[in-house]
Amino acid sequence: MSPLADLLRRRIATAGPLPVADYMSLCLGHPEHGYYATRDPFGAAGDFTTAPEISQMFGELLGLWAAAVWQQMGEPSSLRLIELGPGRGTLMADALRAARVLPAFRTALSVHLVETSPLLAGRQRDTLAGAGVPLAWHDDLGAVLPGPAIVLANEFVDALPIRQAVRTATGWRERVVTLAPNGRLAFDLAAPDPALAAAVPAALRTSPPDMIVEWRDEAFVRRLAARVAGDRESPGAALIIDYGHTISGAGDTLQAVRGHAFADPLAAPGEADLTAHVDFAALARAAAAAGARVHGPLTQAEFLRRLGIDARAAQLKASAPAKAAAIDAALARLLDPGRTGMGALFKVLAVADPALGPLPALD
Ligand code: SAH
């Protein structure tokens, strides 16, 4: 039994069933036994592989995107480049290397890594040693001082906890994790709660009865929108890349991944990655309501093509012909148009100050 499973069982036995959101945030973020606190999950030897770990092209193109947005911001002499959930720091390292083509941009930069896992922050420090720009770590976006900012978040929002609920004949009931008679963790529904109807986003309130609906707390998007669009003196932009859907709808997308395969989300708490689809329509609504302008979403494939990924791949192959097959394989994976392929399942959305106007590759 994992230490976290033991802890969760005792907690449920004494304090009652845990809402799915609390279960998810404990599994991922428990300071001692949480998934991200205890391991580096990336790559072939880990549980899953993210776009920056597939190819340097991903981070490079995002770095060039940020440089172009900085120019659009009027080239402020001081820019905070913020990354949320930077993993191994690979994306930022590639972005900063690509940004060398615009020395004035690099000179303006301070880099802010928002990371809750001390273990991964250590990995990021190793990766970014010698990056040649000032680096700072924070455990929350709110800790980054005000000023012109560009925010990058790849596969960050999918790890933010979701709430789940079901509309039954007796009213809305929250989905919880409880203890089955055999002592195992099991999903259940809490007693009907009249207050829950108001918490369910309007777009999901008319979902068919007995279907699971899920949503994230909008506080994160509202804070992000306020950060980049709340100060007319220093317009900013945030780029969110993640897997998910562009139309809000009912359905349970909570998933566990372990060793590159889907797993039971309750089987090994703290030892499997736990994520859920990002509802991009909900993100867009919340950001717009907070006063930001929303750009996209568009698919990852479309976004990377517009940024010139094909030309970058050709350039890399020309300078390293022995690696041509590996570069083509990485390119195909990032652009994969299949239903579960990264090119189509992953979407890109920007949230920005309306004063910035159209953004590169998005409008
Ligand atoms: N962006 C990286 C890693 C994605 S995995 C990549 O594309 O490879 C999710 C990352 O978010 C991890 O670094 C994890 O530790 C971090 N994380 C998860 N929840 C977080 C939170 N609430 N605040 C800050 N970082 C968080």
Side-chain angles (χ1 to χ4, degrees):
M1 195 195 296
S2 70
L4 190 60
D6 192 30
L7 193 144
L8 291 172
R9 280 196 184 87
R10 280 187 279 123
R11 183 168 161 157
I12 292 168
T14 53
L18 270 179
V20 164
D22 295 355
Y23 176 76
M24 194 170 167
S25 68
L26 284 168
C27 286
L28 293 178
H30 186 278
E32 201 181 335
H33 306 300
Y35 181 71
Y36 286 115
T38 52
R39 72 206 67 217
D40 172 346
F42 309 102
D47 292 320
F48 59 97
T49 304
T50 56
E53 300 299 332
I54 291 173
S55 167
Q56 68 185 78
M57 297 186 283
F58 188 81
E60 289 171 348
L61 293 171
L62 262 56
L64 297 178
W65 182 87
V69 172
W70 171 74
Q71 289 180 314
Q72 227 168 293
M73 289 161 73
E75 308 197 353
S77 60
S78 152
L79 177 80
R80 307 190 202 299
L81 181 59
I82 304 171
E83 186 178 356
L84 308 177
R88 285 177 168 170
T90 309
L91 189 165
M92 187 56 77
D94 293 335
L96 293 173
R97 194 181 54 254
R100 289 208 180 111
V101 297
L102 202 62
F105 170 62
R106 274 191 52 115
T107 307
L109 284 183
S110 61
V111 168
H112 298 264
L113 301 132
V114 177
E115 175 60 68
T116 40
S117 157
L119 187 143
L120 288 174
R123 287 301 303 258
Q124 293 152 25
R125 260 187 202 97
D126 294 344
T127 308
L128 294 167
V133 297
L135 304 168
W137 275 264
H138 314 271
D139 59 9
D140 187 75
L141 176 63
V144 185
L145 290 177
I150 295 177
V151 184
L152 303 174
N154 185 60
E155 291 213 45
F156 171 77
V157 180
D158 66 24
L160 298 180
I162 50 160
R163 290 180 75 177
Q164 291 189 324
V166 174
R167 182 159 60 91
T168 70
T170 52
W172 283 98
R173 300 174 65 179
E174 181 140 14
R175 197 164 186 234
V176 294
V177 176
T178 189
L179 281 178
N182 63 8
R184 286 173 175 257
L185 297 176
F187 286 113
D188 195 7
L189 295 177
D193 175 3
L196 194 54
V200 176
L204 299 174
R205 245 173 257 157
T206 52
S207 305
D210 299 320
M211 276 194 77
I212 294 172
V213 299
E214 61 187 31
W215 70 96
R216 286 188 170 83
D217 188 349
E218 286 180 3
F220 161 72
V221 197
R222 284 200 298 264
R223 287 169 58 217
L224 187 65
R227 185 68 178 77
V228 295
D231 177 7
R232 284 291 105 89
E233 297 300 307
S234 53
L239 191 69
I240 297 170
I241 306 181
D242 224 308
Y243 81 103
H245 41 274
T246 54
I247 300 172
S248 301
D252 166 25
T253 73
L254 181 67
Q255 68 175 40
V257 167
R258 200 177 182 187
H260 298 269
F262 289 113
D264 173 352
L266 301 182
E271 294 181 2
D273 186 35
L274 216 51
T275 62
H277 274 227
V278 173
D279 180 344
F280 280 92
L283 273 189
R285 278 192 300 270
R293 176 162 165 197
V294 173
H295 307 257
L298 64 164
T299 63
Q300 173 168 302
E302 180 65 21
F303 181 68
L304 294 177
R305 282 212 173 92
R306 289 186 189 177
L307 286 174
I309 196 167
D310 292 300
R312 180 63 183 138
Q315 197 182 40
L316 285 173
K317 287 193 283 181
S319 59
K323 293 192 182 146
I327 293 165
D328 278 334
L331 181 68
R333 208 165 154 199
L334 291 177
L335 302 182
D336 184 350
R339 202 174 53 85
T340 57
M342 270 197 151
L345 181 58
F346 279 69
K347 314 289 187 305
V348 182
L349 177 121
V351 169
D353 192 301
L356 280 183
L359 292 181
L362 283 164
D363 296 294

